[in-house]
């Protein structure tokens, strides 16, 4: 039996990954400073260390005392807009966090890593779907820190034994169970629910994009599918000397209007969404090519947009 340490394991995505790793027969140690995570989301079967990933001594101690095989590194700041306002916070937390983690792993001799990267590394590519070979040109400090993290892992793996997988998430949504919803609420589906709670009309940002219905198209991926991709990535990293980058999406885009229609369907009434001005910085279309992850990892999403909206609705606070 192997043991995996999850940085940020008490957060929205980490809480799902912790459960799926346990179900796969692995032992789990969650390391989280609870700045965004919730202690009550850590499964009873997992060990818990309350510490920041920036605390290299605490990470090293956790890796050695639990005899950890590999790390799933989820701990990071993730708000794109905030990263533009406070770039140094993002460089300190995300790049500094990766520096600290890789140092602790080198000291402890930990050889496997699964890294939470993002589709934000691509910026605004002129074609879609986006393959992993697309040149990266992140538009925000957040996206830059995620790309720098990939470079750091790659360079460290050239210098010492390290088997690694980076997962570039597209738009994560939904909940695996009603108590595991996304509480950060700065993405489309939680924002629609917030508008409905306030009795306001949900807003579609931009209706003149060069897409089929004029609204932006994204590749929404269910958090439970994403979580299962982490378990597959952990198994791949354990299997030998791996260096891999995978998009994690469905390979199918949905427009904002399609998401609104799905919400109307789930709540059982027309939610009355209205078109408003474009939001600055939104690319028209971001859809993953999933050929590499299905071919090399044997993973494919199985849940659709309605599953995401319905599970998110059932999990709203
Ligand atoms: C961005 C980041 C992504 C990050 C994600 C979550 C980029 C290119 N992408 O994705 O890396 O993982 O945030 O932090 O930086 N929308 C509305 N009405 C609303 C809210 C959103 O129409 O009330 C639209 C947006 O314009 C966008 C789509 O819904 O077209 C999805 O928005 P959002 O959930 O914020 O995610 P992204 O901006 O796609």
């Amino acid at each position: 039996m192997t043991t995996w340490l999850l940085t940020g394991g008490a957060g929205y995505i980490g809480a799902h990954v912790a459960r799926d790793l346990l179900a796969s027969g692995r032992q789990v140690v969650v390391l989280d400073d609870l700045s965004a995570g919730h202690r009550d989301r850590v499964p009873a079967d997992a060990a818990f260390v309350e510490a920041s990933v920036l605390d290299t001594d605490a990470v090293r101690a956790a890796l050695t005392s639990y005899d950890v095989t590999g790390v799933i590194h989820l701990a990071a700041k993730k708000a794109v807009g905030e990263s533009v306002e406070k770039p140094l916070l993002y460089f300190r937390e995300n790049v500094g966090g990766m520096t600290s983690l890789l140092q602790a792993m080198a000291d402890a001799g930990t050889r496997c890593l699964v890294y939470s990267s993002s589709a934000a590394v691509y910026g605004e590519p002129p074609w879609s779907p986006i393959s992993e070979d697309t040149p990266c040109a992140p538009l925000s400090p957040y996206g830059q820190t995620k790309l720098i993290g990939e470079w750091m892992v790659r360079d460290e793996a050239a210098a010492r034994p390290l088997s690694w997988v980076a997962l570039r998430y597209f738009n994560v949504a939904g909940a695996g169970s009603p108590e595991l919803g996304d509480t950060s609420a700065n993405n489309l589906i939680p924002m629609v629910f917030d508008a409905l709670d306030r009795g306001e009309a949900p807003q579609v940002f931009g209706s003149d994009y060069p897409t089929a219905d004029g609204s932006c198209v994204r590749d929404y991926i269910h958090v439970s599918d994403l979580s299962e991709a982490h378990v597959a990535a952990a198994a791949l990293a354990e299997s030998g000397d791996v260096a891999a980058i995978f998009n994690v999406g469905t390979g199918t885009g949905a427009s904002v209007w399609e998401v609104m229609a799905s919400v109307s369907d789930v709540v059982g009434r027309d939610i009355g969404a209205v078109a408003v001005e474009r939001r600055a910085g939104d690319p028209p279309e971001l859809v993953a090519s999933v050929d590499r992850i299905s071919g090399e990892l044997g993973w494919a999403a199985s849940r659709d947009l309605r599953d995401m909206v319905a599970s998110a609705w059932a999990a709203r606070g």
Side-chain angles (χ1 to χ4, degrees), residues 78 80 118 120 142 171 186-188 191 203-205 216 218 220 256 279 282-283 286:
K78 63 171 183 177
V80 174
S118 170
Y142 166 73
N171 288 62
N186 53 14
N187 294 119
L188 172 60
M191 285 172 72
Q203 297 183 329
V204 177
F205 296 155
C216 289
R218 294 289 181 271
Y220 297 91
V256 177
R279 182 174 71 177
D282 281 334
L286 292 172

Side-chain angles (χ1 to χ4, degrees), residues 78-81 117-124 139-140 142-143 146 169-172 184 186-192 195 202-206 209 215-220 254-257 259-260 274 276-279 281-284 286:
K78 63 171 183 177
V80 174
S117 187
S118 170
V121 299
Y122 294 117
E124 191 171 343
L139 296 171
S140 66
Y142 166 73
K146 286 290 163 179
Y169 311 166
F170 280 68
N171 288 62
V172 187
S184 64
N186 53 14
N187 294 119
L188 172 60
I189 294 171
M191 285 172 72
V192 171
Q203 297 183 329
V204 177
F205 296 155
Y209 286 98
S215 68
C216 289
V217 171
R218 294 289 181 271
D219 188 336
Y220 297 91
S255 73
V256 177
W257 284 116
V259 173
M260 296 295 185
V274 295
V276 298
E277 290 295 296
R278 290 185 180 195
R279 182 174 71 177
D282 281 334
L286 292 172

Side-chain angles (χ1 to χ4, degrees), residues 119 122-130 134-135 137 139 283-286:
Y122 294 117
E124 191 171 343
W127 58 79
S128 187
I130 305 163
T134 302
L139 296 171
E285 179 164 339
L286 292 172

Side-chain angles (χ1 to χ4, degrees), residues 21 23 27 40 48 50 54-56 63 65 101 103 115 133 140 142 144 153 163 224 261 268 277 289-290 301 305:
L21 275 175
Q27 292 187 312
D40 61 8
F48 178 64
E50 185 174 344
L54 291 165
D55 183 346
T56 312
L63 293 173
S65 63
L101 173 66
Q103 182 64 61
Y115 168 50
D133 296 326
S140 66
Y142 166 73
Q144 290 168 6
V153 175
S163 180
S224 295
E277 290 295 296
S289 164
V290 292
L305 181 63

